[in-house]
Amino acid sequence: MMNFPRNNRINPNLLNPAVRKVLRPLLLAAALTQPALAAVDLAAIDLASQQQDLAALQQQTVVAQDDYQFAYAQYRLAVAASVRGDETLLKPALQAAAERLEQLLKAEPEEDLTVEAWALLALTRGMQAGYYPIKGAYYGKLSGDALAKSKELQADNPRVLLAGAILAYQTPTLFGGDKKQALVQAEAAVQAFAKPCQQICWGQAEAYVWRGLAKKEAGDSAGAKADWTEALRQQPDYGWAKHLLQGS
């Protein structure tokens, strides 16, 4: 597959009304720079993901401007499909994301994008490990290798730290998972997200969700609720944070 042309901007009419309403001021700003445009695209994917809007996420895979955005939209589509228990949608989305990220990495992009691609690939392969029991060890190794490569390049990248937290939390202890380490990684991710970001910036509210989960696992229910509340403050449409708060 080839990169989508960079001049293939988002068509607002393809977005669902909620996404269009939030993003209209940015989409109409003619003076947006390339980094700002990339941030808009990823924000649309995030909003659709937080609302568990499968149709909007599928639209985002169509209008994606480049390999990374396409892979990110597919990854978020897979996550949303997992909540619905729809493996017929989930598995192809994971495969599409992994293939596009590997293609991107073969092209040897600049370091910042390389780091982001490795981190996202680690999460994608980690999900595949959970949904393909027979090949779980194989995908688990690919996930671990991808995470290690991202850490070698930028160990303090917030999405690298977030990926480490998610994988440490979700991986069974028998295969190297460690919920205490997940808390350490999530703490570091939350701190790293405080730094300025212009282009690939997703994950800040999510870091609070995972830190809250790790805190609850450690017996800190009050801390968990505080983190989920902060995640919801940052992203009011964050359905997962709402669900966790309602169940706490």
Side-chain angles (χ1 to χ4, degrees):
M1 299 181 191
M2 299 179 66
N3 283 356
F4 289 100
R6 291 189 179 276
N7 61 359
N8 181 20
R9 304 304 183 200
I10 287 179
N11 178 351
N13 294 322
L14 293 176
L15 303 176
N16 73 6
V19 174
R20 191 162 61 244
K21 179 180 179 181
V22 171
L23 298 178
R24 184 180 296 116
L26 291 177
L27 292 168
L28 293 178
L32 283 175
T33 62
Q34 181 64 35
L37 283 165
V40 168
D41 299 328
L42 296 178
I45 295 170
D46 282 339
L47 181 59
S49 174
Q50 290 155 12
Q51 295 178 335
Q52 295 293 304
D53 190 335
L54 297 181
L57 287 168
Q58 288 173 308
Q59 289 174 355
Q60 286 300 322
T61 68
V62 175
V63 301
Q65 298 179 63
D66 57 41
D67 287 337
Y68 184 85
Q69 290 170 17
F70 174 85
Y72 184 58
Q74 292 285 9
Y75 168 72
R76 288 302 183 191
L77 177 60
V79 172
S82 72
V83 175
R84 305 284 184 89
D86 187 352
E87 292 190 20
T88 61
L89 185 60
L90 179 158
K91 291 182 176 180
L94 287 176
Q95 188 60 32
E99 289 177 354
R100 189 64 70 89
L101 287 168
E102 289 179 344
Q103 173 184 299
L104 173 59
L105 288 164
K106 286 179 181 178
E108 299 182 351
E110 61 183 20
E111 181 178 303
D112 287 349
L113 184 54
T114 296
V115 172
E116 300 290 353
W118 279 123
L120 185 55
L121 183 59
L123 288 170
T124 301
R125 292 303 194 188
M127 276 195 74
Q128 285 182 310
Y131 283 95
Y132 291 88
I134 295 178
K135 300 181 70 174
Y138 169 71
Y139 285 128
K141 184 179 185 307
L142 292 179
S143 175
D145 289 346
L147 183 62
K149 289 177 180 177
S150 69
K151 288 182 176 180
E152 287 174 7
L153 292 170
Q154 289 182 12
D156 61 346
N157 178 288
R159 278 155 300 282
V160 171
L161 292 164
L162 177 58
I166 293 172
L167 292 169
Y169 188 93
Q170 290 190 315
T171 302
T173 305
L174 181 63
F175 297 103
D178 185 341
K179 288 185 171 59
K180 291 182 179 179
Q181 184 58 30
L183 179 55
V184 172
Q185 292 287 302
E187 291 272 13
V190 167
Q191 294 177 20
F193 274 112
K195 300 176 183 178
C197 179
Q198 293 183 338
Q199 191 166 1
I200 297 177
C201 303
W202 62 266
Q204 185 170 19
E206 188 175 2
Y208 280 97
V209 168
W210 285 101
R211 190 174 73 170
L213 289 169
K215 283 182 177 179
K216 184 174 182 180
E217 189 71 23
D220 183 6
S221 296
K225 290 175 68 174
D227 275 350
W228 299 333
T229 299
E230 174 59 22
L232 200 55
R233 185 192 70 79
Q234 292 187 12
Q235 300 290 344
D237 290 313
Y238 205 160
W240 189 21
K242 290 179 183 179
H243 175 75
L244 289 169
L245 279 171
Q246 290 170 356
S248 61

